[in-house]
Amino acid sequence: GAGVSQTPSNKVTEKGKYVELRCDPISGHTALYWYRQSLGQGPEFLIYFQGTGAADDSGLPNDRFFAVRPEGSVSTLKIQRTERGDSAVYLCASSSHGQETQYFGPGTRLLVL
Amino acid sequence: QQQVKQSPQSLIVQKGGISIINCAYENTAFDYFPWYQQFPGKGPALLIAIRPDVSEKKEGRFTISFNKSAKQFSLHIMDSQPGDSATYFCAAIPPGTASKLTFGTGTRLQVTL
């Protein structure tokens, strides 16, 4: 079956602009995660959804970052007033209810100029 | 605070050799320890995972050794192949399903001919 998909695969924007990153989880997976991976580092947790609600948003770095999952499937990560330090690969993962295994998408490479 | 420390940062192994990557964790609440493999331009993919009540787990050429008292675990890749060249991340997760992963910093493995 289809895995986790993310769009766009690459995004170049200018400092101060607003961006939206989309994640389509594996069908039927109730849990959805966003991570951020800087060059040469391991992924860092941003936010986790169980269904439609954000169960844990402790990893969001500041209030410029926001994520939604209105229907419990697709999720959008929104970044306002982007800064050069936001440049990274944003990874989405999903898991099935009761399972620890998280399946990752290919990521969106965000470059803020 | 880095909760999962990984070494070495990079590793070069000849084809047919054994690749060994080590991780140490601080949070004794962690109870699930997966290893992820990541190829350039791709998201991390689960390779193998272990729980602390088991000292070793083997799947094909991949083995996890776990030392609960030392809070350390390692990945051994036997008969390393050029196709194993990738970045490997250890990770840890606390009890309860659908929890956030804490990743190590990664080991870039290169298997030479």
Side-chain angles (χ1 to χ4, degrees):
Chain A
V4 177
S5 62
Q6 293 186 245
T7 54
S9 55
N10 293 280
K11 176 70 177 178
V12 180
T13 191
E14 294 179 343
K15 180 177 179 294
K17 299 290 188 181
Y18 168 83
V19 297
E20 289 190 352
L21 312 179
R22 176 187 168 107
C23 172
D24 280 84
I26 293 173
S27 177
H29 279 191
T30 57
L32 186 146
Y33 309 80
W34 284 98
Y35 293 83
R36 179 167 70 175
Q37 186 173 24
S38 300
L39 192 63
Q41 299 295 317
E44 292 181 317
F45 170 79
L46 295 176
I47 187 170
Y48 148 57
F49 288 89
Q50 183 63 259
T52 60
D56 184 351
D57 65 357
S58 62
L60 294 178
N62 52 60
D63 62 5
R64 295 187 297 106
F65 289 74
F66 188 71
V68 296
R69 195 186 185 197
E71 298 179 357
S73 178
V74 171
S75 176
T76 304
L77 179 65
K78 308 180 181 191
I79 309 174
Q80 298 178 321
R81 304 183 304 280
T82 52
E83 299 178 356
R84 293 191 179 88
D86 299 335
S87 297
V89 175
Y90 289 82
L91 294 164
C92 176
S94 69
S95 67
S96 180
H97 180 71
Q99 300 296 320
E100 291 110 339
T101 301
Q102 296 181 23
Y103 297 88
F104 283 81
T108 292
R109 284 148 193 80
L110 176 65
L111 177 61
V112 182
L113 300 176
Chain B
Q1 181 186 5
Q2 187 180 353
Q3 295 196 58
V4 180
K5 296 182 179 180
Q6 184 172 346
S7 64
Q9 186 175 358
S10 61
L11 182 62
I12 300 175
V13 173
Q14 281 194 329
K15 179 182 175 183
I18 303 174
S19 303
I20 302 174
I21 304 171
N22 301 298
C23 283
Y25 62 97
E26 298 173 359
N27 186 351
T28 55
F30 290 141
D31 76 343
Y32 182 71
F33 301 86
W35 283 88
Y36 280 82
Q37 179 188 54
Q38 186 175 30
F39 292 104
K42 305 291 186 183
L46 179 67
L47 194 61
I48 186 174
I50 197 169
R51 296 191 184 279
D53 55 348
V54 176
S55 62
E56 184 176 283
K57 182 175 181 180
K58 183 176 181 179
E59 290 184 1
R61 297 185 294 108
F62 301 93
T63 300
I64 300 178
S65 297
F66 192 89
N67 186 330
K68 187 175 181 178
S69 61
K71 295 189 287 185
Q72 296 175 347
F73 58 110
S74 60
L75 175 68
H76 295 233
I77 306 174
M78 312 300 288
D79 187 26
S80 299
Q81 299 296 311
D84 297 331
S85 297
T87 299
Y88 293 80
F89 294 95
C90 60
I93 198 167
T97 57
S99 298
K100 60 188 179 185
L101 286 162
T102 298
F103 283 88
T105 50
T107 296
R108 188 170 181 177
L109 172 66
Q110 181 182 355
V111 181
T112 61
L113 293 172

